[in-house]
Structure formats: structure tokens, C-alpha cells
Amino acid sequence: MSTGEEILGRILRRIAAVGLSESAVGVQAGLSRDVIRSIRRGIESGRQRGVSTDTIQRIAPVLGTSAEWLVSGIGPEEIEPDQPVMPTIPLPPGSEVVPAAVDLPLRNAYGRDLPVLGTAAGSIIRHVDGFRLEHEVIDLVRRPPALANNDSAYAIFVVGDSMAPKHMPGDLCFVDPLERPQIDDSVIVQTRNHDDDPGQAYIKVLRKRTATQLVLQQYNPLATIEIPLQYVVAIHRVLTLKDLFGV
């Protein structure tokens, strides 16, 4: 039988895979917007040993998986949702709708001038995967529409699989240093040397921000890292596709 931590790990893995926030999962499942956060905090603190059957059954369809997989890891992880078949209504002859022509933007309409910063080999601290973020520009990529006038934006290639499947090794991520990260956002956090942290960068999910520390989380393996704010050099928000294209 799976432990509460294993169940939580599968829940977080599916949340990352479907690209929803924790609060959105709770709302779409017809539960409290804080249900996932409460589960996570309860299990991580040891106050909660598992997840109720009712909650599992409600969130499984939202996460595109089965209750059985969330509980035990048995069976296919991803399940295609049942799509209702809409009846076809015949149109009278001559009344067919002709779609209007759409002018697609040319590929070269987006300037290839957004810098990709280099990343060096990573290190693992307390099961937390980090990397060195070099400020040397190793490539230039096309600038998404939302970053057209943002000279501070940059991109990185993901190193390691600690954030899989949300951010896979080799993925290109766009970062906006000007936008304040919110809880549950993916972030790039840069640190200076302290304790057993050599001073490096992390791509993680921001779980909590207090007056004294940041609390970050990774998915693979499931781990939490707490960083005193006095050692944080910068925290930058990783943009989503919705951010980049104004959806």
C-alpha cells in the first residue's frame, strides 16, 4: 500500500502534467480551492497519513488519471477523458459556412534576439537538484509576443529532471525578472554560498514566502528546500505559454 507521501507525489506529478495550479484543481473538482495545499501541508508535517477516497475520486478526472493510479501507482498514469459526441445538425443546401481567412504571423515577425543564459553542471543538496547559472549568452531565440519590449527577459535550458514532467531536461524556459512571482509559480532562484549550499540556481515551484525565508518544492524526487532570504540573490518567475502568448 502506498504511503501518503507517495500519493502526494503522484498528485503533484499530475498537477504539473496538466498545467493547472493547485487551487484550480480544487475548484474544478468541486472541492475547496485550498484542498491540495491542505493535503500537502498535512502529509509533509506528519499530521496526515493519507488522502480520503472521496477526494481522490474527485480530483482524478481533473488530473487526467484514475483514482487507482493516484492511490497505488498501478495502471496507466494518463487516461483520455471521455468526449461526448455532439449530434450533427444538417444544414440546408447552400447555407454552408465558409470560414474566414486568417493571416498567420510570419515566423520572422518575432525577432531572434532574446538571450539564452548558459547553465553548468548541477549539484544535489539534500536531494534538491540545483545548477550553476552562467551569465554568458550561449544562444539567441525568437522573442515571444509578451516579451516584445522586455529587455530584462532571458531564457534557460533546463538541467536535470528534478522538475519532470513539468519541466523536462533540455526544455527552453522563458523568464521575466520584472514580474513578481506568486505562490505555486515556477521560479528561478539564485543563492549565495551558505551552509552546505555552494551558491547556485534552482528551478522549482514557489510554495511559501515569509519575512525570513523562501520555501521551494521539486517533483523528482519529491523534496522541499527552505532558503533564508538573506542568502537569496534573486527570484524570477518562469513564464507559462498563456503568459507568453497572451491567452
Side-chain angles (χ1 to χ4, degrees), residues 2-123:
S2 297
T3 64
E5 288 187 351
E6 290 170 336
I7 295 173
L8 175 61
R10 285 190 284 269
I11 290 173
L12 295 178
R13 174 171 172 163
R14 290 308 305 165
I15 289 176
V18 299
L20 294 173
S21 67
E22 291 185 358
S23 59
V25 171
V27 171
Q28 292 188 27
L31 300 166
S32 164
R33 62 183 294 110
D34 295 324
V35 63
I36 303 297
R37 182 177 300 179
S38 297
I39 292 170
R40 175 167 49 78
R41 289 178 175 175
I43 290 176
E44 290 176 350
S45 66
R47 298 192 308 269
Q48 182 174 335
R49 299 181 60 185
V51 185
S52 73
T53 301
D54 179 68
T55 298
I56 289 289
Q57 291 175 340
R58 284 173 175 264
I59 66 175
V62 178
L63 300 180
T65 189
S66 66
E68 180 183 15
W69 185 84
L70 289 177
V71 171
S72 65
I74 297 174
E77 174 181 341
E78 190 168 348
I79 296 178
E80 290 294 331
D82 294 331
Q83 297 292 336
V85 179
M86 300 299 291
T88 301
I89 303 175
L91 296 174
S95 62
E96 291 82 1
V97 177
V98 178
V102 176
D103 293 327
L104 297 176
L106 297 176
R107 190 165 180 261
N108 59 9
Y110 304 115
R112 193 183 182 93
D113 61 351
L114 192 138
V116 179
L117 302 185
T119 55
S123 62

Side-chain angles (χ1 to χ4, degrees), residues 174-192:
F174 293 88
V175 184
D176 185 0
L178 303 179
E179 188 167 346
R180 180 177 173 82
Q182 303 298 316
I183 301 302
D184 296 335
D185 282 343
S186 291
V187 292
I188 302 294
V189 175
Q190 295 175 260
T191 64
R192 60 172 57 92

